[in-house]
Amino acid sequence: QVQLVESGGGSVQSGGSLRLSCAVFGYPYNHYCMGWFRQAPGKERQGIATIASDDTATYEDSVKGRFTISRDNAKNTLYLEIHNVKPEDTAMYFCAADPRNPGTCHTRRRSDEYTFWGQGTQVTVSS
């Protein structure tokens, strides 16, 4: 069974930076499509970044230029760097993984397109 464990969240002031990590346990994830999602209170879970096994990355428009998704296959770890954070970035951040159809990774922004999920890490941005 694949397990995902996020870390790195916390409280940060507007304009600051932080890096979220997602450790993958139970299976080498080299060929998996990986994604980051976030869910603000009262809102639906939103796909914000994906990364394929060949490191091809895609981003939701609102985070382009500020967020960077990356993966270290040797460490079985996925990352999300967030720069110039804004109050609207406040949310629970989740990582997700899926082994199916790796060629379609760049299109995957829906929750139902991912099989494995972490428990989430909270990011709170103060102005």
Side-chain angles (χ1 to χ4, degrees):
Q1 181 70 15
V2 176
Q3 289 186 313
L4 310 179
V5 179
E6 300 97 335
S7 61
S11 297
V12 59
Q13 286 194 327
S14 184
S17 299
L18 73 166
R19 185 174 78 163
L20 307 182
S21 299
C22 171
V24 183
F25 300 95
Y27 198 82
Y29 80 128
N30 303 32
H31 66 285
Y32 282 25
C33 176
M34 303 295 295
W36 282 100
F37 288 73
R38 67 183 179 185
Q39 187 166 18
K43 295 189 177 181
E44 293 187 355
R45 191 169 295 188
Q46 176 193 30
I48 54 174
T50 69
I51 187 165
S53 58
D54 64 355
D55 287 341
T56 301
T58 64
Y59 300 92
E60 196 271 331
D61 286 346
S62 68
V63 305
K64 282 181 181 177
R66 296 192 301 117
F67 287 31
T68 302
I69 187 172
S70 62
R71 62 196 296 166
D72 185 334
N73 290 340
K75 295 182 178 180
N76 256 29
T77 303
L78 176 74
Y79 300 100
L80 184 70
E81 292 184 37
I82 308 176
H83 300 286
N84 188 24
V85 295
K86 303 176 180 181
E88 53 263 41
D89 294 325
T90 294
M92 185 72 80
Y93 284 72
F94 300 89
C95 63
D98 195 272
R100 302 166 297 176
N101 303 320
T104 66
C105 188
H106 63 287
T107 67
R108 301 219 197 143
R109 299 281 179 76
R110 300 198 321 263
S111 298
D112 61 0
E113 295 176 307
Y114 289 83
T115 302
F116 304 107
W117 290 86
Q119 81 289 349
T121 185
Q122 177 69 36
V123 173
T124 301
V125 182
S126 57
S127 57

